[in-house]
Every structure is written in C-alpha cells, then in structure tokens.
Amino acid sequence: MPGVLLVTACGGSNEAQQPAARDAERSVRIIAQPVRLTHEASKVEAVGTARAERAATIFPETSGLVTSVNFVSGQYVKKGTVLAQLDNVQQRLAVAKAEIALKDAQQLLERYERIDVPGAVSTSQIDAAKTAVEAAKVDLDVSKELLDDRAVRAPFSGYVGFTDIDPGARVTQSTEITRIDDRDVLFVDFSLPEQLFGQIEAGSILHVDPFASVNAKVEAEVTVVGSRINVEERSFTVRAAIDNSDDVLRPGMSFRVSFDVAGDAYPEVPEASIVWGGDGPYLWAVEDGKAKRMPVTIITRKEGRVLVRADLQEGDLIIAEGVQKVRDGTPVMNIVESRKEISRGVPSGAVSAQGALE
C-alpha cells in the first residue's frame, strides 16, 4: 500500500509539470524590453545681432576749431586718451588769469593774518579775504574745466572707428568725432517665443554660429533674461555674452543661436517594435505573459528609437523582436529572461540554451 501511494504521488507530480511544459512549448519566443520615459528635445533657433559690451559715439563738449586729430581708424586707445584737440588759447589764458587772481587773494589773506596789532584789521576784513580766496579757487576750477573741455577724450579703453574730422575743421557739440567700442566681450540679443519663458536662465551656455563664418563654433553665456513679455510679438528678449578676447568677432555681426529644450516625457521604444496596421501604428505590450496590442501615436524618431504617445509606464515590457509572430492574447516567452535563468542554473523547458527566435 505504501508503494502504491508513492507511485500515485509521483504520477501526480508529472501530471502537474506536463501542462506547464506544454504551455511553455506553445508560447511564442520573443525578445522584450522595458519601456523608459524620455523627454522630447525640441531644437530652438533664433537670430541675434552682436553689440560691444561698451560702445559710445564721441561728440565734443563744446564748439571750436580742430587743431589736431590724434588717432587713426581701428586704433586701440586707452581711457582718457586725447582723440582730438580744439583750439584752446582763450581757455589757457583764462586759467592763467584765474591762477593770478587766486595768488593775489591768498597773499592778501596772509598779510591780514600776519598783522598782530589789535584793531588794525577787522574781523570782517579777514572774512572777506577768506571769501575772496575761496571764490578765486572756484574761478580757477571753472577755467580748468573749460580748458579740459577743449580736448576730446576716450571715455573708456577700446577701438575707435572712422572719422570725417580733419585739423582745421570747425565742429559743434552735435558733430560726431568717431565711435569707440570695447569689444573684449560681445552681447548678442535675441527673441524667443513666450512658450519658452522659464526654460532658459542666466548662466546657461548656448552655441552661437556667426553667419560670417559657417565653420566657427562659439559659446555664449546667458547673462540676462527679459523680465517681461512683448505683448505685440508674444516674445521675450535674452542677452548672451561672448568672450571675444581674441578680437575675432565684431559688433554688428549676426549670429544663429540654437539650443535644445526638454519637452514632455514620452515612452521610448525601439523602432523595430512598431507595427503598422489599417488603423495606424501599434506595438505589442507584454501583460501577464501574453501579448497585448497597444495603439500608439509617433512623436519623433531618432537613431532607431521612437518616442510614442501610448498607455505605457516606465518599466512596462514591450516586444522588441518577434512582433510578426504574435496576436492579441498570444502567450509569449521573453528569451532574454530565459537566458538569464539558464546562466543562473535554473532549468527552462521552453527555451533552448541558444534561445534563438524560431
């Protein structure tokens, strides 16, 4: 009797294994991959114009006759360099006269202060002498300022541009002497659509390409993002700075600004997993060991990968290879997982050691 029970128990175990083996044999061998979510990258392009970090148009402070022009176009000049000199004879004479007047006022005050005879000089006389000294100092300062205005100086270090002024020309305060640019750093301003506001910030590094040189690759750092939206164009302004210490680029150049902006996250699947039917593209998902048809909308393709809009979550399995062998509800076996089981020493009756798709 115990022997019979033993045989019966063994027979029941074999019967339990046989359906599983038969199910495994009926399963279609596929290669499945987990879905990962990837942000769609949209490329943004804009055009901007460069300007020097500091730029100025130089005008004389006063009218007069030009006696000398002390620069040539394109020359680098230091801050304070005299670019043009106006006739200053009258102003130099005024300074000399003011210096004499100051000296006389100071000498008078000193004489008053040296007198030690009580009552010889009243307090009011001493106060008047002190006032005269102060007034003479002011007159001298004014004369020196007027003399200095006869010299047209560089407001900062930079490169001067063209000039139409020659010695002997008479100029006024509205006569342009030249322009000066400090171009060690160039600013490029460009506009972006309102939808991108908040997706670019100060400190971001952008790639800009000058139209004048198609092979040049230049990096620019965003320094300022506009604080308001242009209500007419529905756009905002961004300013980026370019290091131009090698003095290759010039103010006024146009630049193509391009960068990628991360969009919404979509499931990313292999392009080979997409199947086309009469109602559009779809793929096969794996649920509970069976194939499930999943309609998709293709967002974008890139290098054999496809971003799709579908009812898929991160980590869901989709059939990457073997899509032509399955139908909705077909039992499937992922040979990638079977190989892993074999490598761990776990027997798999449904897949051979090679795991080839047949």
Side-chain angles (χ1 to χ4, degrees):
M1 197 66 164
V4 175
L5 291 174
L6 180 60
V7 171
T8 303
C10 292
S13 176
N14 291 334
E15 290 176 358
Q17 292 176 355
Q18 288 175 1
R22 286 194 297 269
D23 289 343
E25 291 175 355
R26 289 197 303 268
S27 297
V28 175
R29 301 172 187 178
I30 53 92
I31 293 179
Q33 291 184 7
V35 170
R36 67 176 181 178
L37 297 181
T38 302
H39 288 275
E40 179 191 16
S42 56
K43 194 172 190 63
V44 177
E45 290 192 351
V47 176
T49 301
R51 63 176 296 269
E53 181 181 19
R54 291 184 294 177
T57 302
I58 310 299
F59 296 93
E61 291 290 338
T62 185
S63 303
L65 184 70
V66 177
T67 59
S68 65
V69 176
N70 307 322
F71 69 94
V72 293
S73 299
Q75 179 182 348
Y76 181 83
V77 298
K78 293 287 188 178
K79 178 180 179 180
T81 299
V82 177
L83 302 178
Q85 180 66 57
L86 305 185
D87 175 63
N88 59 6
V89 173
Q90 293 183 359
Q91 288 72 27
R92 286 190 285 111
L93 292 174
V95 169
K97 183 178 180 181
E99 289 175 342
I100 294 173
L102 174 60
K103 186 176 179 180
D104 286 344
Q106 289 173 333
Q107 289 175 344
L108 178 61
L109 177 61
E110 289 173 358
R111 285 196 299 269
Y112 284 168
E113 290 176 340
R114 284 197 302 266
I115 297 175
D116 57 359
V117 178
V121 180
S122 65
T123 303
S124 61
Q125 287 178 303
I126 295 177
D127 290 341
K130 289 181 179 180
T131 301
V133 169
E134 295 301 321
K137 288 181 179 179
V138 172
D139 290 341
L140 179 58
D141 289 340
V142 171
S143 299
K144 287 182 177 180
E145 285 291 331
L146 294 175
L147 176 61
D148 189 65
D149 286 346
R150 307 300 287 181
V152 181
R153 302 179 185 274
F156 49 81
S157 299
Y159 294 88
V160 290
F162 291 103
T163 183
D164 294 327
I165 304 302
D166 296 309
R170 183 166 294 278
V171 297
T172 66
Q173 291 175 294
S174 61
T175 303
E176 179 179 327
I177 302 299
T178 188
R179 287 185 56 85
I180 184 171
D181 295 309
D182 177 7
R183 58 189 189 225
D184 284 345
V185 175
L186 297 183
F187 289 141
V188 178
D189 295 349
F190 57 95
S191 297
L192 293 178
E194 178 183 0
Q195 293 84 345
L196 298 180
F197 191 81
Q199 299 193 46
I200 188 170
E201 57 186 10
S204 301
I205 303 299
L206 308 178
H207 293 284
V208 297
D209 302 319
F211 283 92
S213 178
V214 295
N215 296 321
K217 298 297 180 183
V218 182
E219 286 190 345
E221 180 180 355
V222 175
T223 58
V224 181
V225 177
S227 59
R228 61 187 305 170
I229 305 297
N230 185 315
V231 296
E232 296 179 356
E233 299 179 1
R234 310 313 308 176
S235 63
F236 62 99
T237 302
V238 177
R239 171 170 293 176
I242 301 174
D243 180 10
N244 191 41
S245 54
D246 54 2
D247 200 37
V248 173
L249 306 173
R250 292 291 182 270
M253 280 185 170
S254 56
F255 290 82
R256 179 188 295 108
V257 184
S258 60
F259 57 96
D260 293 329
V261 175
D264 296 331
Y266 294 97
E268 180 182 301
V269 299
E271 190 169 10
S273 66
I274 302 296
V275 183
W276 289 86
D279 53 354
Y282 63 92
L283 53 74
W284 295 104
V286 178
E287 288 188 3
D288 300 326
K290 296 181 179 180
K292 179 181 179 181
R293 179 170 170 149
M294 182 77 64
V296 299
T297 300
I298 295 177
I299 303 299
T300 184
R301 303 171 183 261
K302 185 177 181 181
E303 298 177 355
R305 309 295 293 180
V306 183
L307 295 186
V308 299
R309 183 181 290 110
D311 187 17
L312 293 170
Q313 304 298 323
E314 181 94 27
D316 288 351
L317 287 178
I318 56 96
I319 299 177
E321 296 184 34
V323 293
Q324 303 299 336
K325 301 179 181 182
V326 298
R327 296 293 182 270
D328 208 13
T330 300
V332 294
M333 177 167 289
N334 186 5
I335 67 171
V336 174
E337 293 298 328
S338 299
R339 287 171 178 170
K340 293 179 181 179
E341 292 177 356
I342 293 173
S343 65
R344 292 195 300 265
V346 180
S348 177
V351 183
S352 65
Q354 291 76 16
L357 289 173
E358 297 178 353

